[in-house]
Amino acid sequence: MSLVIEHLDCRLGGRAVLHGLAGLRARPGELTALIGPNGAGKSTLLRAIAGIVRGEGSFALNAEPLAPLSLTRRAERLYYLPQETPSRAVLSVFEAVLLARRTRISEAPAAALARVGETLRALELEPLAERELGQLSGGQRQRVAIAQAVIREPRLLLLDEPTSALDLHHQLQVLDWLTRLAAERGVIVVVAIHDLSLAARFARHIWVLKEGRVAASGAPGEVLTGARLREVYAIEAHVEWPADEPPRVTPLAPTRRLGD
């Protein structure tokens, strides 16, 4: 019962973007981090899994091949949250999250209202419940989008840089909540993320992409090494795994300079 990518290619505008990705697995109950430099293919990979762009090959969710499924059928199984989620809808935060719930879950109104309230509290959105989406900051809108994604209760949750607009408090809060949510409900959560320290802290498994290919896949301690960060990111970095503190990845210097 996992997301398994045995082989995946993707072309955009006639250009190959993903080249034979293989050996990637994300398990229920765990947060899997997707990392790599800009242009590595992270967003394209998530979009190909979701069916937004055409991916060719063999990749399956819970042993069911995804490639033959329509967007509608994939939407019954997974949810993809892009980096940017602009909304012109004249809805309050509460209405937007409730609407997301009702589009996927058939239940008594009282149950829906209770779940919306629970989700807003978890993401510290309760004080904003009556505010219109257009009145929110970028970070607030991002938390609303995360609430809309989670409240649909997909088997697979694909999140593309969900903490990019969040302050430090909410980065930690959201990733901690997603980690606990995965464990408690058996959801498969795949998160594209740039902060390697946060990836090391919250992920049980890490996928590393470079130039549209798999550079590594495994537990954080196996993947996040100085040699691999030098190879993938062209940086010198110090990686620490203290026994009584969260892991830390500290970039020290680029291995090459702009203009060289």
Side-chain angles (χ1 to χ4, degrees):
M1 300 293 285
S2 304
L3 170 66
V4 178
I5 298 175
E6 295 181 351
H7 185 92
L8 176 58
D9 293 300
C10 183
R11 301 182 67 86
L12 297 178
R15 180 175 65 91
V17 178
L18 301 179
H19 311 268
L21 301 190
L24 299 179
R25 179 184 296 269
R27 297 177 176 85
E30 298 179 358
L31 187 147
T32 295
L34 172 59
I35 68 172
N38 291 338
K42 301 185 298 297
S43 295
T44 301
L45 172 55
L46 297 182
R47 288 159 59 87
I49 295 169
I52 297 168
V53 299
R54 182 178 176 82
E56 298 182 349
S58 176
F59 49 106
L61 176 62
N62 299 340
E64 179 184 27
L66 288 173
L69 298 184
S70 66
L71 272 174
T72 300
R73 292 186 65 192
R74 288 197 209 196
E76 296 170 355
R77 297 154 175 78
L78 60 85
Y79 187 81
Y80 165 68
L81 180 64
Q83 293 181 36
E84 297 181 5
T85 55
S87 176
R88 296 184 177 89
V90 185
L91 294 173
S92 69
V93 169
F94 190 94
E95 290 168 338
V97 178
L98 178 60
L99 179 62
R101 177 75 176 181
R102 285 180 168 172
T103 60
R104 299 300 327 153
I105 308 292
S106 178
E107 63 190 343
L113 294 174
R115 183 54 63 88
V116 171
E118 172 189 317
T119 303
L120 294 184
R121 284 191 295 276
L123 287 167
E124 297 182 353
L125 289 168
E126 216 172 16
L128 306 174
E130 301 306 319
R131 192 175 298 182
E132 290 186 3
L133 296 178
Q135 299 174 342
L136 303 181
S137 70
Q140 291 167 339
R141 285 197 303 273
Q142 194 167 49
R143 281 187 286 140
V144 174
I146 294 167
Q148 291 175 296
V150 169
I151 205 160
R152 289 173 163 89
E153 297 189 5
R155 298 183 219 167
L156 168 62
L157 192 55
L158 305 168
L159 305 173
D160 197 349
E161 297 188 36
T163 59
S164 60
L166 302 185
D167 57 42
L168 295 176
H169 167 81
H170 286 109
Q171 287 180 30
L172 293 171
Q173 182 227 30
V174 164
L175 289 170
D176 176 71
W177 182 63
L178 289 172
T179 303
R180 288 186 288 108
L181 189 79
E184 292 167 4
R185 301 185 189 175
V187 181
I188 303 169
V189 180
V190 181
V191 176
I193 189 169
H194 277 297
D195 191 312
L196 300 182
S197 292
L198 292 178
R201 177 172 181 173
F202 291 103
R204 291 284 298 278
H205 201 82
I206 295 181
W207 299 348
V208 187
L209 297 190
K210 180 186 179 184
E211 297 177 350
R213 294 177 170 84
V214 176
S217 174
E222 300 168 352
V223 169
L224 296 175
T225 65
R228 181 159 289 114
L229 297 181
R230 192 179 306 117
E231 170 200 346
V232 172
Y233 287 94
I235 60 169
E236 298 293 343
H238 184 51
V239 184
E240 300 175 87
W241 303 93
D244 54 351
E245 296 178 19
R248 292 185 292 272
V249 180
T250 307
L252 301 175
T255 59
R256 61 176 182 269
R257 298 185 179 184
L258 292 176
D260 289 352

